[in-house]
Each structure stands twice: as C-alpha cells, then as structure tokens.
Amino acid sequence: MKTFSTTRSHELPIWRRPIAMLFAMAIAMPIAFSTWLALLNNFVIEVADFDGADIGLLHSVREIPGFLAIGVIAVLLFMREQVLIVVSLALLGVATAVTAHFPTMGGILTITMLSSIGFHYYETVNQSLQLQWIAKDRAPQMLGWLSAAASAATLVIYLGIISTWEQLGLEYTTVYLATGGVTALIALFCFVAYPQFETPNPQTKKLILRKRYWLYYVLNFFAGARRQIFVVFAGFMMVEKFGYDVHEITSLYLINLVINMMAAPLMGKAVARFGERRTLLFEYAGLVLVFLAYGGIYFFGWGVLIASALYVLDHLFFALALALKTYFQKIADPADIAPTAAVAFTINHIAAVFLPVLLGLLWIVSPAAVFIFAAAVASGSFLLALLIPRHPSKGNETVFSRP
C-alpha cells in the first residue's frame, strides 16, 4: 500500500488528509459505541434481568481489554498503527451489530469482550495518531473539534432512537445491527480511501516506562477509576431508581451531546488560553461537587430533575479531559507517543477491571457510598493536578522539575 509523508499532506485533497481520516473515525466510533451504551442498561435489565452486581461484572469484563491495551505495542511489531486502528474500528462495529443475538449472560459477556477489544485498541491508537498528526500549537483546538464531531455523530444516533423507538416499535436487534454495520463500513472506507501516512518521528516499538512521565501515569490511573464509576453507575441509577425507559435515557444523552457539541471547541480554546494545570484543577473540583451531589440524591431524596442536571454537568466536566492529552504531548519525546499511549491506557484501566464488580456489590448495600468514593477519587486527582507546572515541557514535567 502506498505511503505518504504527513509533512506533504497539504498536497492531498482535503478529504484524503490525515486530519480528515481522524474526523471520519471520530464520527464512526460513536455510531456503534453510543448505541451500545444507550441501549445497554435497558437491554440487560429487560432481556437478561441484570441487577447491580451483574452490571458491575459486565463492565469489569468490558474493561479487561483496556487493561491489556499494552498489547498494542506487540501488535505494532507486525502491523502499522493506521492498519490496527481500522481493524479495531471494524471489530467494534461487527461486535455491536450482533449484540442482541446473544441475550444470555454468557453471550452478552462474550460479545462485550469482543467489542471492547475493538473499542480499547481503537482508542489507544487513536490517541497516539492524534498527537502525532496534529501540531502542538493546534492540538487543543483540534482535539476540541474532534470531540464535537464525535458528539454530532452521537446526536444523530440518539435523535434516531428517540424519534423511532416507540413510533416504529424498534427492537434491539434492528438498532444494533444497523449502527454496528455503519461503523464497520466506515472502517472499510478508511482502509481503502487513505494512503499509509508516515510521520517524521518513527515510533518506538517496545515497552517504555519513563520516570519523568510519572505524574501523567498517576493522573491516568485516577481518571480511569473516576470515569468508570460514572459510566457504570450514573446511567444505571437513572434506570434503576427513576425508571427511565430507552427513549428517556437516550433523551438525557441527547441533552449532553448538544451541550458538548457547543462546549467542546470552547474547552479546547480554554486549555490553550489557561493551560493544562488550571483547566484540570477546574475539572476535578467540579467533579468532586458533582459526585457528592449524586450521593445526596440517596441521602436527601432529591428527585429526577436534580439527578438529570448532575448527569449533564458530569459530562461537561469530563470534556475538559483533553487537557491531559495535551499535557503529555508537551512533555513527551515524539518517538514515545505510541508506546506511552498504550502504557497510559493500560494504567487508566487498572482500576476499571476490579472497581465495577467491587462497587457493584457495594451498590447493593449503599448506592450513595459508591458516589462518595468517586468524590474521594476526584479529590485525589485535584491534589495531583497541583503538581503540573504552569508551562509543561520536556524537562519541566512537574513542579519538582528543574528545566
């Protein structure tokens, strides 16, 4: 297959440039994944009669491939990053397409594992290619626009579900098959339509753990723990406690998307203007308050409107997480981006493997305790973010560094 240097990408038509491929994939991935996520809680409760412990087990299984994302380094010994990301995207699409054909506990766990391999390997390589293909001075804004594009794709999916689920009497089989198939077809297009892009800095194809990246590693660990609690239990709460139906939970996701579409580019500008340190401190402080308020829903009996508002705020704060990517881009050796992305993704999922199943058991005893634990994790992230220098760079990775 023909290779093409990213330094000459301006010679290609706009739709065949590296950034265009990033946008195509940013649109394709959420078509499958967001559908799977939107229908998941209702699907497993209605079809497989899941309880809190079961959903915790499912998400622990789903995160195993994320924990093993370090295997990307081994795969890259015989497969290019660009090929791997397309294959991973296709696997996610195909697995999503057949999800409803396996409505048992064993079937759901198996298909979830396959789709998770596709999703996590895609995310690992996608982060690497974004940081390699986008210039540092454009990264915050461009990452914001990529996030907005993903939100727009998900918006279309959610609007489709809301407007047709009850009116057309759709079934899980139909929706999963259609959206998963679209993602797989876009992956095929990306494989055929784009040349293999070569970057000026060949990536190191071996395991790398550098002492000077330690803060980035630890922040990723806390981010994985914190986000996993939200992904698993915030949506589950809306269905279990407040009885949300498919079109209602999807409407809540839709509100999130509209806000994120407008906010994501602004978030990128905020990172560029205020820097990674201030942006992350703002994010983590906000998340502490949100998780404490989640616990208040159970302590004080707050209603569905407050729960929904907190869900939206939660998503909005998470949109600032792009600052962690740009922090790493500023401190990293260019050749370290791919292997470190794999290592960081694995670290991000260490807690994700055991937390859902353990907190699923805690959920049965006290759902409020789960969210109080999440607030404690967010507090740890806030303290760690204080160690980020105002102007991070290679040699100035933390406030303890002497550039």
Side-chain angles (χ1 to χ4, degrees), residues 7 48 54 68 78 90 137 157 197 211 288 290 318 339 374 385 394 400:
T7 59
D54 295 328
L68 299 176
F78 58 88
D137 58 338
I157 294 300
F197 296 112
K211 183 178 179 180
V288 170
V290 168
F318 275 125
K394 182 179 178 181
F400 304 120

Side-chain angles (χ1 to χ4, degrees), residues 328-367:
F328 172 65
Q329 188 185 37
K330 290 180 178 179
I331 67 172
D333 285 321
D336 288 352
I337 290 177
T340 305
V343 170
F345 215 70
T346 293
I347 292 172
N348 183 274
H349 287 76
I350 291 175
V353 171
F354 65 84
L355 267 186
V357 66
L358 293 180
L359 293 181
L361 298 174
L362 178 60
W363 181 271
I364 296 175
V365 179
S366 173

Side-chain angles (χ1 to χ4, degrees), residues 66-375:
F67 177 68
L68 299 176
I70 198 170
V72 166
I73 299 172
V75 177
L76 293 180
L77 292 174
F78 58 88
M79 183 181 293
R80 299 172 60 90
E81 280 187 277
Q82 192 171 329
V83 175
L84 177 56
I85 196 173
V86 171
V87 171
S88 301
L89 188 61
L91 176 59
L92 170 63
V94 172
T96 300
V98 301
T99 294
H101 290 81
F102 300 89
T104 64
M105 169 67 85
I108 291 172
L109 291 179
T110 301
I111 296 301
T112 296
M113 174 67 80
L114 292 174
S115 66
S116 181
I117 292 172
F119 171 79
H120 285 100
Y121 274 45
Y122 165 84
E123 283 293 319
T124 302
V125 181
N126 186 49
Q127 178 174 310
S128 171
L129 292 182
Q130 285 177 348
L131 298 184
Q132 291 179 65
W133 290 356
I134 302 174
K136 290 182 182 181
D137 58 338
R138 299 179 59 207
Q141 296 92 329
M142 194 57 66
L143 290 175
W145 282 110
L146 286 168
S147 177
S151 295
T154 311
L155 172 64
V156 173
I157 294 300
Y158 287 169
L159 282 174
I161 294 175
I162 292 171
S163 61
T164 61
W165 183 264
E166 286 191 326
Q167 288 82 347
L168 300 182
L170 293 178
E171 298 180 349
Y172 294 108
T173 305
T174 304
V175 179
Y176 277 132
L177 183 62
T179 54
V182 169
T183 295
L185 288 174
I186 295 177
L188 179 61
F189 169 79
C190 288
F191 181 77
V192 173
Y194 294 94
Q196 292 294 308
F197 296 112
E198 294 278 4
T199 60
N201 301 290
Q203 296 298 290
T204 304
K205 294 182 174 64
K206 63 181 181 180
L207 177 64
I208 290 178
L209 283 169
R210 299 202 189 281
K211 183 178 179 180
R212 64 189 187 87
Y213 298 158
W214 73 267
L215 182 56
Y216 175 67
Y217 296 146
V218 179
L219 283 169
N220 265 284
F221 174 79
F222 275 76
R226 188 181 64 249
R227 185 168 183 81
Q228 196 60 32
I229 297 170
F230 168 75
V231 169
V232 175
F233 296 106
F236 191 76
M237 175 190 67
M238 302 304 295
V239 175
E240 183 186 63
K241 182 174 178 62
F242 298 109
Y244 266 38
D245 200 356
V246 167
H247 66 284
E248 292 172 321
I249 194 71
T250 306
S251 297
L252 184 58
Y253 293 162
L254 182 62
I255 295 171
N256 281 331
L257 283 170
V258 172
I259 294 175
N260 277 330
M261 283 176 60
M262 296 184 292
L266 298 178
M267 299 294 189
K269 290 182 179 179
V271 175
R273 178 175 179 180
F274 298 107
E276 287 77 12
R277 175 190 168 96
R278 292 180 180 177
T279 305
L280 289 173
L281 286 173
F282 178 77
E283 176 196 355
Y284 300 149
L287 288 174
V288 170
L289 297 177
V290 168
F291 282 127
L292 288 175
Y294 271 134
I297 291 174
Y298 290 90
F299 281 124
F300 305 113
W302 294 336
V304 66
L305 290 179
I306 292 180
S308 300
L310 290 173
Y311 196 89
V312 172
L313 280 174
D314 214 333
H315 262 278
L316 192 59
F317 282 120
F318 275 125
L320 289 169
L322 65 89
L324 193 55
K325 290 183 180 180
T326 58
Y327 164 64
F328 172 65
Q329 188 185 37
K330 290 180 178 179
I331 67 172
D333 285 321
D336 288 352
I337 290 177
T340 305
V343 170
F345 215 70
T346 293
I347 292 172
N348 183 274
H349 287 76
I350 291 175
V353 171
F354 65 84
L355 267 186
V357 66
L358 293 180
L359 293 181
L361 298 174
L362 178 60
W363 181 271
I364 296 175
V365 179
S366 173
V370 172
F371 292 121
I372 291 173
F373 177 79

